[in-house]
mmCIF file of all heavy atoms in Angstrom:
data_model
loop_
_atom_site.group_PDB
_atom_site.id
_atom_site.type_symbol
_atom_site.label_atom_id
_atom_site.label_comp_id
_atom_site.label_asym_id
_atom_site.label_seq_id
_atom_site.Cartn_x
_atom_site.Cartn_y
_atom_site.Cartn_z
ATOM 1 N N THR B 28 -9.614 15.673 11.370
ATOM 2 C CA THR B 28 -8.919 14.669 10.571
ATOM 3 C C THR B 28 -9.912 13.755 9.866
ATOM 4 O O THR B 28 -11.087 13.676 10.234
ATOM 5 C CB THR B 28 -7.993 13.800 11.425
ATOM 6 O OG1 THR B 28 -8.789 12.959 12.257
ATOM 7 C CG2 THR B 28 -7.080 14.646 12.292
ATOM 8 N N THR B 60 -12.650 -1.717 14.242
ATOM 9 C CA THR B 60 -11.523 -1.470 15.115
ATOM 10 C C THR B 60 -11.871 -2.014 16.500
ATOM 11 O O THR B 60 -12.893 -2.658 16.653
ATOM 12 C CB THR B 60 -11.210 0.039 15.138
ATOM 13 O OG1 THR B 60 -10.106 0.287 15.964
ATOM 14 C CG2 THR B 60 -12.381 0.827 15.656
ATOM 15 N N LYS B 61 -10.999 -1.759 17.484
ATOM 16 C CA LYS B 61 -11.232 -2.318 18.806
ATOM 17 C C LYS B 61 -11.835 -1.277 19.750
ATOM 18 O O LYS B 61 -11.676 -0.065 19.536
ATOM 19 C CB LYS B 61 -9.911 -2.843 19.380
ATOM 20 C CG LYS B 61 -9.348 -3.992 18.576
ATOM 21 C CD LYS B 61 -10.313 -5.184 18.568
ATOM 22 C CE LYS B 61 -10.095 -6.122 17.382
ATOM 23 N NZ LYS B 61 -8.854 -6.886 17.448
ATOM 24 N N SER B 63 -10.991 -0.237 22.581
ATOM 25 C CA SER B 63 -10.040 0.709 23.169
ATOM 26 C C SER B 63 -9.749 1.880 22.225
ATOM 27 O O SER B 63 -9.637 3.022 22.663
ATOM 28 C CB SER B 63 -8.741 -0.004 23.541
ATOM 29 O OG SER B 63 -8.218 -0.690 22.439
ATOM 30 N N SER B 64 -9.675 1.562 20.947
ATOM 31 C CA SER B 64 -9.453 2.628 19.973
ATOM 32 C C SER B 64 -10.658 3.561 19.934
ATOM 33 O O SER B 64 -10.507 4.792 19.862
ATOM 34 C CB SER B 64 -9.222 2.040 18.586
ATOM 35 O OG SER B 64 -8.198 1.088 18.611
ATOM 36 N N ASP B 67 -10.613 5.968 22.855
ATOM 37 C CA ASP B 67 -9.666 7.062 22.628
ATOM 38 C C ASP B 67 -10.272 8.129 21.718
ATOM 39 O O ASP B 67 -10.196 9.323 21.994
ATOM 40 C CB ASP B 67 -8.378 6.536 21.989
ATOM 41 C CG ASP B 67 -7.521 5.774 22.978
ATOM 42 O OD1 ASP B 67 -7.811 5.831 24.192
ATOM 43 O OD2 ASP B 67 -6.577 5.098 22.548
ATOM 44 N N LYS B 71 -11.449 12.167 22.235
ATOM 45 C CA LYS B 71 -10.968 13.280 21.428
ATOM 46 C C LYS B 71 -12.128 14.083 20.835
ATOM 47 O O LYS B 71 -12.103 15.316 20.816
ATOM 48 C CB LYS B 71 -10.059 12.764 20.304
ATOM 49 C CG LYS B 71 -9.369 13.870 19.566
ATOM 50 C CD LYS B 71 -8.010 13.500 19.027
ATOM 51 C CE LYS B 71 -8.045 12.316 18.108
ATOM 52 N NZ LYS B 71 -7.638 12.694 16.729
ATOM 53 P P DT D 16 -2.073 14.808 18.516
ATOM 54 O OP1 DT D 16 -2.865 15.997 18.171
ATOM 55 O OP2 DT D 16 -2.105 14.244 19.888
ATOM 56 O "O5'" DT D 16 -2.468 13.641 17.509
ATOM 57 C "C5'" DT D 16 -2.398 13.862 16.114
ATOM 58 C "C4'" DT D 16 -2.605 12.549 15.388
ATOM 59 O "O4'" DT D 16 -1.495 11.668 15.663
ATOM 60 C "C3'" DT D 16 -3.881 11.799 15.812
ATOM 61 O "O3'" DT D 16 -4.604 11.485 14.639
ATOM 62 C "C2'" DT D 16 -3.357 10.577 16.551
ATOM 63 C "C1'" DT D 16 -1.994 10.372 15.899
ATOM 64 N N1 DT D 16 -0.950 9.666 16.707
ATOM 65 C C2 DT D 16 -0.217 8.666 16.095
ATOM 66 O O2 DT D 16 -0.398 8.312 14.941
ATOM 67 N N3 DT D 16 0.729 8.076 16.904
ATOM 68 C C4 DT D 16 1.006 8.393 18.216
ATOM 69 O O4 DT D 16 1.878 7.786 18.822
ATOM 70 C C5 DT D 16 0.210 9.454 18.785
ATOM 71 C C7 DT D 16 0.434 9.853 20.208
ATOM 72 C C6 DT D 16 -0.722 10.030 18.010
ATOM 73 P P DA D 17 -6.153 11.056 14.703
ATOM 74 O OP1 DA D 17 -6.812 11.547 13.490
ATOM 75 O OP2 DA D 17 -6.677 11.413 16.038
ATOM 76 O "O5'" DA D 17 -6.054 9.463 14.609
ATOM 77 C "C5'" DA D 17 -5.501 8.874 13.444
ATOM 78 C "C4'" DA D 17 -5.197 7.417 13.733
ATOM 79 O "O4'" DA D 17 -4.070 7.336 14.634
ATOM 80 C "C3'" DA D 17 -6.334 6.641 14.419
ATOM 81 O "O3'" DA D 17 -6.669 5.528 13.614
ATOM 82 C "C2'" DA D 17 -5.754 6.217 15.759
ATOM 83 C "C1'" DA D 17 -4.265 6.218 15.460
ATOM 84 N N9 DA D 17 -3.417 6.363 16.639
ATOM 85 C C8 DA D 17 -3.575 7.233 17.692
ATOM 86 N N7 DA D 17 -2.654 7.109 18.618
ATOM 87 C C5 DA D 17 -1.843 6.099 18.146
ATOM 88 C C6 DA D 17 -0.689 5.491 18.658
ATOM 89 N N6 DA D 17 -0.152 5.840 19.820
ATOM 90 N N1 DA D 17 -0.122 4.511 17.916
ATOM 91 C C2 DA D 17 -0.671 4.163 16.756
ATOM 92 N N3 DA D 17 -1.753 4.657 16.167
ATOM 93 C C4 DA D 17 -2.294 5.629 16.927
ATOM 94 P P DT D 18 -7.904 4.596 13.946
ATOM 95 O OP1 DT D 18 -8.457 4.181 12.641
ATOM 96 O OP2 DT D 18 -8.732 5.269 14.948
ATOM 97 O "O5'" DT D 18 -7.244 3.327 14.657
ATOM 98 C "C5'" DT D 18 -6.596 2.356 13.880
ATOM 99 C "C4'" DT D 18 -5.501 1.686 14.659
ATOM 100 O "O4'" DT D 18 -4.763 2.613 15.487
ATOM 101 C "C3'" DT D 18 -5.919 0.656 15.700
ATOM 102 O "O3'" DT D 18 -6.394 -0.517 15.102
ATOM 103 C "C2'" DT D 18 -4.609 0.445 16.430
ATOM 104 C "C1'" DT D 18 -3.939 1.826 16.330
ATOM 105 N N1 DT D 18 -3.773 2.513 17.643
ATOM 106 C C2 DT D 18 -2.720 2.129 18.425
ATOM 107 O O2 DT D 18 -1.933 1.257 18.109
ATOM 108 N N3 DT D 18 -2.614 2.807 19.622
ATOM 109 C C4 DT D 18 -3.443 3.807 20.077
ATOM 110 O O4 DT D 18 -3.246 4.340 21.150
ATOM 111 C C5 DT D 18 -4.537 4.151 19.206
ATOM 112 C C7 DT D 18 -5.505 5.226 19.605
ATOM 113 C C6 DT D 18 -4.639 3.498 18.041
ATOM 114 P P DC D 19 -7.242 -1.558 15.873
ATOM 115 O OP1 DC D 19 -7.855 -2.491 14.903
ATOM 116 O OP2 DC D 19 -8.101 -0.802 16.805
ATOM 117 O "O5'" DC D 19 -6.145 -2.349 16.745
ATOM 118 C "C5'" DC D 19 -5.100 -3.032 16.073
ATOM 119 C "C4'" DC D 19 -4.061 -3.491 17.088
ATOM 120 O "O4'" DC D 19 -3.525 -2.325 17.753
ATOM 121 C "C3'" DC D 19 -4.651 -4.345 18.212
ATOM 122 O "O3'" DC D 19 -4.495 -5.719 17.907
ATOM 123 C "C2'" DC D 19 -3.822 -3.971 19.430
ATOM 124 C "C1'" DC D 19 -3.193 -2.642 19.086
ATOM 125 N N1 DC D 19 -3.673 -1.514 19.946
ATOM 126 C C2 DC D 19 -2.915 -1.174 21.079
ATOM 127 O O2 DC D 19 -1.908 -1.837 21.337
ATOM 128 N N3 DC D 19 -3.329 -0.143 21.862
ATOM 129 C C4 DC D 19 -4.431 0.544 21.544
ATOM 130 N N4 DC D 19 -4.779 1.550 22.335
ATOM 131 C C5 DC D 19 -5.216 0.208 20.389
ATOM 132 C C6 DC D 19 -4.810 -0.817 19.634
ATOM 133 P P DT D 20 -5.221 -6.807 18.852
ATOM 134 O OP1 DT D 20 -5.199 -8.075 18.094
ATOM 135 O OP2 DT D 20 -6.497 -6.247 19.337
ATOM 136 O "O5'" DT D 20 -4.261 -6.929 20.127
ATOM 137 C "C5'" DT D 20 -2.874 -7.245 19.982
ATOM 138 C "C4'" DT D 20 -2.252 -7.371 21.370
ATOM 139 O "O4'" DT D 20 -2.274 -6.073 22.027
ATOM 140 C "C3'" DT D 20 -2.990 -8.343 22.299
ATOM 141 O "O3'" DT D 20 -2.022 -9.053 23.058
ATOM 142 C "C2'" DT D 20 -3.834 -7.426 23.172
ATOM 143 C "C1'" DT D 20 -2.956 -6.177 23.262
ATOM 144 N N1 DT D 20 -3.698 -4.905 23.436
ATOM 145 C C2 DT D 20 -3.306 -4.034 24.422
ATOM 146 O O2 DT D 20 -2.380 -4.254 25.182
ATOM 147 N N3 DT D 20 -4.048 -2.878 24.500
ATOM 148 C C4 DT D 20 -5.103 -2.516 23.692
ATOM 149 O O4 DT D 20 -5.685 -1.451 23.848
ATOM 150 C C5 DT D 20 -5.462 -3.484 22.676
ATOM 151 C C7 DT D 20 -6.596 -3.186 21.747
ATOM 152 C C6 DT D 20 -4.753 -4.620 22.599
ATOM 153 P P DT D 24 -7.973 -1.493 39.182
ATOM 154 O OP1 DT D 24 -7.246 -0.358 39.779
ATOM 155 O OP2 DT D 24 -8.114 -2.791 39.856
ATOM 156 O "O5'" DT D 24 -9.440 -0.975 38.821
ATOM 157 C "C5'" DT D 24 -9.589 0.095 37.906
ATOM 158 C "C4'" DT D 24 -10.964 0.021 37.316
ATOM 159 O "O4'" DT D 24 -11.092 -1.123 36.445
ATOM 160 C "C3'" DT D 24 -12.095 -0.116 38.336
ATOM 161 O "O3'" DT D 24 -12.927 0.988 38.165
ATOM 162 C "C2'" DT D 24 -12.786 -1.425 37.946
ATOM 163 C "C1'" DT D 24 -12.445 -1.498 36.471
ATOM 164 N N1 DT D 24 -12.573 -2.796 35.770
ATOM 165 C C2 DT D 24 -13.391 -2.857 34.665
ATOM 166 O O2 DT D 24 -14.029 -1.904 34.245
ATOM 167 N N3 DT D 24 -13.451 -4.090 34.056
ATOM 168 C C4 DT D 24 -12.777 -5.234 34.448
ATOM 169 O O4 DT D 24 -12.916 -6.274 33.820
ATOM 170 C C5 DT D 24 -11.939 -5.099 35.608
ATOM 171 C C7 DT D 24 -11.167 -6.281 36.109
ATOM 172 C C6 DT D 24 -11.874 -3.908 36.216
ATOM 173 P P DA D 25 -13.964 1.478 39.319
ATOM 174 O OP1 DA D 25 -13.638 2.893 39.615
ATOM 175 O OP2 DA D 25 -14.016 0.460 40.396
ATOM 176 O "O5'" DA D 25 -15.349 1.455 38.543
ATOM 177 C "C5'" DA D 25 -15.425 2.135 37.292
ATOM 178 C "C4'" DA D 25 -16.554 1.529 36.497
ATOM 179 O "O4'" DA D 25 -16.221 0.197 36.095
ATOM 180 C "C3'" DA D 25 -17.862 1.443 37.266
ATOM 181 O "O3'" DA D 25 -18.806 2.168 36.511
ATOM 182 C "C2'" DA D 25 -18.161 -0.061 37.340
ATOM 183 C "C1'" DA D 25 -17.384 -0.602 36.156
ATOM 184 N N9 DA D 25 -16.900 -1.975 36.251
ATOM 185 C C8 DA D 25 -16.037 -2.482 37.188
ATOM 186 N N7 DA D 25 -15.737 -3.749 37.005
ATOM 187 C C5 DA D 25 -16.451 -4.097 35.872
ATOM 188 C C6 DA D 25 -16.562 -5.306 35.147
ATOM 189 N N6 DA D 25 -15.916 -6.426 35.487
ATOM 190 N N1 DA D 25 -17.360 -5.309 34.072
ATOM 191 C C2 DA D 25 -17.992 -4.181 33.735
ATOM 192 N N3 DA D 25 -17.963 -2.991 34.317
ATOM 193 C C4 DA D 25 -17.168 -3.013 35.394
ATOM 194 P P DA D 26 -20.334 2.404 36.979
ATOM 195 O OP1 DA D 26 -20.754 3.714 36.450
ATOM 196 O OP2 DA D 26 -20.415 2.094 38.420
ATOM 197 O "O5'" DA D 26 -21.102 1.283 36.164
ATOM 198 C "C5'" DA D 26 -20.965 1.274 34.743
ATOM 199 C "C4'" DA D 26 -21.749 0.128 34.158
ATOM 200 O "O4'" DA D 26 -21.066 -1.115 34.427
ATOM 201 C "C3'" DA D 26 -23.162 -0.015 34.702
ATOM 202 O "O3'" DA D 26 -24.006 -0.099 33.571
ATOM 203 C "C2'" DA D 26 -23.117 -1.309 35.537
ATOM 204 C "C1'" DA D 26 -21.998 -2.086 34.858
ATOM 205 N N9 DA D 26 -21.210 -2.978 35.705
ATOM 206 C C8 DA D 26 -20.622 -2.692 36.912
ATOM 207 N N7 DA D 26 -19.937 -3.701 37.421
ATOM 208 C C5 DA D 26 -20.088 -4.710 36.479
ATOM 209 C C6 DA D 26 -19.604 -6.031 36.427
ATOM 210 N N6 DA D 26 -18.835 -6.576 37.381
ATOM 211 N N1 DA D 26 -19.945 -6.777 35.357
ATOM 212 C C2 DA D 26 -20.706 -6.232 34.413
ATOM 213 N N3 DA D 26 -21.219 -4.993 34.342
ATOM 214 C C4 DA D 26 -20.870 -4.283 35.422
#
Side-chain angles (χ1 to χ4, degrees):
Chain B
T28 70
T60 181
K61 296 299 157 70
S63 54
S64 307
D67 286 349
K71 189 149 57 116

